[in-house]
Amino acid sequence: MTTALAVETRGLGKRFGGRDAVHDLALAVPAGSVFGFLGPNGSGKTTTIRMLLGLVSPTAGEAPVLGERMPDSGRSVLPRVGALVEGPGFSGWLSGPANLARLDTADPGASGRTRRARIAESLERVGLTAAGGKKVKAYSLGMKQRLGLANALLRPRDLLVLDEPTNGLDPQGTREVRTLVRELAADGTTVFVSSHLLAEIEQMCTHAAVMSAGRLVAQGTLEALRGHEGARVRLRTPDPVQAVRVLQSAGLAQIEQEGPELTATLGDRPVESLVPLLVAARVRVQGLRVDEPTLEERFVALTGEGFDVAG
Amino acid sequence: MSRAEPARRTSGAGLALLGSELTGVFRRRRTWAMLLALAAVPVLVAVAIRISSGDGGGPSRGPSFVTGIAGNGLFVGVASLVLAIPLFLPLTVGVVAGDTIAGEASTGTLRYLLVAPAGRVRLLLVKYAGAAVFCFAAPLAIVVAGTAIGAVLFPVGPITLLSGDQVPIAEGLGRLLMIGLYTGLSMLGLAAVGLFISTLTDVPVGAMAATVVIAVTSQVLDQLPQLDALHPFLLTDSWLGLVDLLRQPPDWSVFDTNALLQLGWVVVFGALAFGRFTTRDVLA
Ligand SMILES: Nc1ncnc2c1ncn2[C@@H]1O[C@H](COP(=O)(O)OP(=O)(O)OP(=O)(O)O)[C@@H](O)[C@H]1O
Ligand SMILES: [Mg+2]
């Protein structure tokens, strides 16, 4: 099965003053996916996004977006792409709708006749209809962020590139963004979203990639990334000794026992196949559950524990 | 299976962006503040002269334009323009031109305009056009305010030109308009310099200051006799040529000289701005 790719970079790299901000990046973003782009601070997410949008020219490799090379094909590609890059950017002395009108006018393909209606609609989608008329300098951080999202949604898009879209949003706003992203994805828009909020990525993404110090360290479906082989079964029983024997004979690895609690790595064995074995061996089961590794654990495993930003 | 509407190129798209740029420039309070400040120059000049000439004191010792004012209110605009040309006017043009790209970068709108996609060349052209309109608006603000206040405070009559000839009021007003346009033209080169500097930085104030410094430096160089050979090429060399429009018959050739000089600066700095802006990384 070959899925079309909305973004496919090959050997993409960017050097800033002799240091690689992004190195040999091979991203493959399937069309129609909600693609989470993860990585610690300074790992090159924004730099990559800027290259995809033609704001920065790569020093190596290429970055086809929607099947055409960027930055050369910006004229035909960018109208199909909605973007939020490193926070919103607006003229403070203009109102929200006036700012959107200005950016929409900058798009040569956007129709002036439908402009008003599209602006109103997109303000409504981000919940700014009531507050929108103020000058942007009087907006709160979250309101600006919402206006940035509204700008990305001014026209129907094939690809949305959102760099930390929930930054500065209140919990309702965060939820709305998730809902919005799901809606857009259901409509067939590919959404490429960078974040360090792993819980958020887990809730909305189908695919993800993990960056570390400018390199891609993992990418794939969320399932594959979490790594089911890493799942551990946790068993509570008054008969730990017999239970250990059962788990051993079932081929589970890394069995650990602590009083009545047993844990073991499940591997590719389905958990439901364990219960009959335990029952047959007359092990009394008080509790049984599977701990899936969280994305956070995988993320830390992939990008390292340290808090310091890689220099 | 594209969900986005095909990029239909509407013929007025460039004009629409220009319109939006002009609304942007002229909806800014800063622009109005500068135009008002410029318009205040003739008001101050006129009021000051009115007060001092009202004293009935001895012959005033000001520049010849200024002395002409008490006799004819129509001179207020020209006199104020001559006063504003060395610094005030280039200051305001420097603010607008220095802000063109750097201002967008500093507010973060540059990346969104480019992603829209405005197109780098198109954006640069529109930005320059916006600054160019301001170049004409600024001297015209002085001339219009000066003529109005002059008509209120002083007698108005046929204008005695520098050559000693008199022209009727209507023709005099026409000359004033031409002088305003001439000065607008004079500022176009500086605006191109400002545009280029603006592509170099993300700090608008820096670009504005650098542009004004260039205008002032150019005028200083224009005063040094040792650099005679250089003078005809200096950005500011034709700035005071407007006085030749106050002769009878007017020396229209200064217009051509000025236009050629400004064109040269616009071409050179426009090309530099183009080279820089179309290749630079937008990181702001
Ligand atoms: N203008 C610049 N000049 C020099 N180096 C830069 C510049 N912009 C970014 N970098 C470097 O590129 C690297 C990647 O930065 P980038 O902004 O892409 O990180 P990020 O993953 O978006 O981080 P964050 O999560 O903090 O937003 C960093 O090491 C940064 O120092
Ligand atoms: Mg970033």
Side-chain angles (χ1 to χ4, degrees):
Chain A
M1 187 191 80
T2 55
T3 30
L5 294 177
V7 175
E8 182 188 16
T9 70
R10 286 184 288 266
L12 189 65
K14 179 70 189 178
R15 285 178 88 78
F16 285 120
R19 304 181 83 144
D20 282 326
V22 173
H23 182 76
D24 197 18
L25 184 65
L27 272 181
V29 179
S33 65
V34 178
F35 195 98
F37 195 38
L38 296 167
N41 292 135
S43 56
K45 302 182 296 295
T46 302
T47 304
T48 305
I49 286 175
R50 284 181 188 274
M51 288 193 280
L52 296 181
L53 296 173
L55 294 171
V56 161
S57 20
T59 42
E62 47 189 273
V65 174
L66 299 173
E68 295 183 68
R69 272 188 68 148
M70 285 299 289
D72 314 340
S73 307
R75 246 170 198 239
S76 50
V77 172
L78 289 175
R80 299 162 62 197
V81 180
L84 184 66
V85 193
E86 204 149 63
F90 294 105
S91 310
W93 65 94
L94 294 175
S95 72
N99 264 291
L100 294 187
R102 180 160 186 258
L103 293 173
D104 194 59
T105 314
D107 176 352
S111 149
R113 266 181 305 113
T114 57
R115 185 163 295 138
R116 245 170 194 284
R118 285 183 292 116
I119 290 174
E121 189 190 342
S122 99
L123 285 174
E124 181 169 356
R125 275 191 114 158
V126 299
L128 268 186
T129 306
K134 284 197 261 190
K135 287 193 174 175
V136 167
K137 66 179 167 215
Y139 275 30
S140 70
L141 174 64
M143 288 165 72
K144 284 184 200 151
Q145 188 78 7
R146 287 170 188 243
L147 191 60
L149 283 166
N151 171 49
L153 301 175
L154 274 178
R155 296 177 65 184
R157 312 283 193 183
D158 293 325
L159 172 66
L160 274 179
V161 178
L162 306 176
D163 191 9
E164 302 186 29
T166 56
N167 192 15
L169 291 188
D170 52 28
Q172 291 92 323
T174 312
R175 274 174 64 130
E176 278 160 33
V177 166
R178 281 203 300 270
T179 317
L180 198 63
V181 165
R182 285 203 203 97
E183 273 172 31
L184 291 163
D187 276 3
T189 304
T190 309
V191 185
F192 183 83
V193 52
S194 91
S195 181
H196 1 85
L197 300 179
L198 298 160
E200 194 173 289
I201 295 284
E202 278 193 291
Q203 288 178 61
M204 53 184 189
C205 293
T206 56
H207 294 68
V210 182
M211 295 284 289
S212 176
R215 281 151 211 271
L216 187 67
V217 288
Q219 83 175 318
T221 62
L222 218 52
E223 303 274 285
L225 267 185
R226 275 203 206 102
H228 271 277
E229 321 80 65
R232 282 178 74 79
V233 64
R234 182 176 291 274
L235 174 67
R236 193 179 171 86
T237 171
D239 313 314
V241 183
Q242 294 99 302
V244 167
R245 234 175 277 135
V246 172
L247 295 184
Q248 271 168 348
S249 63
L252 301 197
Q254 290 173 293
I255 301 168
E256 286 164 28
Q257 185 208 337
E258 221 185 289
E261 289 266 357
L262 285 175
T263 59
T265 301
L266 199 50
D268 47 12
R269 191 167 185 109
V271 68
E272 57 272 21
S273 70
L274 288 182
V275 182
L277 297 177
L278 290 165
V279 172
R282 294 176 178 278
V283 174
R284 289 166 294 168
V285 176
Q286 289 170 325
L288 178 78
R289 70 165 214 255
V290 179
D291 288 343
E292 300 269 358
T294 63
L295 197 55
E296 181 168 329
E297 282 161 357
R298 273 297 279 167
F299 180 79
V300 171
L302 285 167
T303 61
E305 279 284 355
F307 172 70
D308 291 339
V309 174
Chain B
M1 42 128 262
S2 170
R3 290 179 16 78
E5 28 181 316
R8 209 165 6 86
R9 191 156 274 280
T10 44
S11 60
L15 285 181
L17 184 57
L18 178 60
S20 134
E21 171 64 17
L22 290 177
T23 349
V25 170
F26 286 98
R27 237 201 252 178
R28 257 190 116 154
R29 215 180 299 165
R30 188 180 71 193
T31 309
W32 286 106
M34 291 192 302
L35 290 177
L36 281 177
L38 289 175
V41 172
V43 174
L44 285 178
V45 168
V47 170
I49 291 176
R50 181 68 222 238
I51 291 171
S52 62
S53 65
D55 290 348
S60 78
R61 289 165 290 122
S64 60
F65 274 123
V66 176
T67 49
I69 290 175
N72 193 334
L74 294 183
F75 266 117
V76 176
V78 189
S80 311
L81 202 52
V82 171
L83 286 178
I85 279 176
L87 187 60
F88 288 155
L89 206 53
L91 197 65
T92 59
V93 170
V95 166
V96 171
D99 195 49
T100 45
I101 301 295
E104 301 286 356
S106 76
T107 55
T109 36
L110 182 58
R111 58 177 182 270
Y112 289 108
L113 285 168
L114 291 180
V115 166
R120 296 196 183 203
V121 178
R122 188 162 155 261
L123 186 61
L124 205 58
L125 288 175
V126 163
K127 280 286 169 188
Y128 183 71
V133 169
F134 182 84
C135 286
F136 286 95
L140 287 175
I142 297 178
V143 170
V144 170
T147 309
I149 190 81
V152 171
L153 295 185
F154 301 101
V156 170
I159 298 183
T160 308
L161 297 174
L162 295 181
S163 53
D165 305 89
Q166 276 210 339
V167 295
I169 295 185
E171 195 189 333
L173 290 175
R175 292 284 176 95
L176 289 180
L177 181 66
M178 293 319 283
I179 286 172
L181 293 178
Y182 177 91
T183 307
L185 180 68
S186 297
M187 295 294 141
L188 291 181
L190 183 63
V193 172
L195 181 75
F196 168 61
I197 297 176
S198 196
T199 62
L200 299 177
T201 170
D202 294 341
V203 186
V205 187
M208 295 173 191
T211 310
V212 176
V213 165
I214 286 187
V216 172
T217 311
S218 170
Q219 293 178 82
V220 171
L221 296 181
D222 213 6
Q223 300 295 317
L224 298 179
Q226 291 84 345
L227 298 178
D228 249 354
L230 201 62
H231 288 173
F233 303 102
L234 287 175
L235 174 64
T236 55
D237 190 56
S238 55
W239 281 11
L240 290 174
L242 59 87
V243 292
D244 289 331
L245 297 176
L246 288 176
R247 299 184 198 287
Q248 188 70 329
D251 184 1
W252 295 116
S253 72
V254 290
F255 245 109
D256 303 343
T257 321
N258 192 13
L260 197 63
L261 176 67
Q262 299 301 326
L263 183 68
W265 281 83
V266 170
V267 166
V268 170
F269 278 85
L272 287 173
F274 171 86
R276 162 75 181 163
F277 190 56
T278 50
T279 54
R280 81 176 248 201
D281 284 344
V282 174
L283 293 160

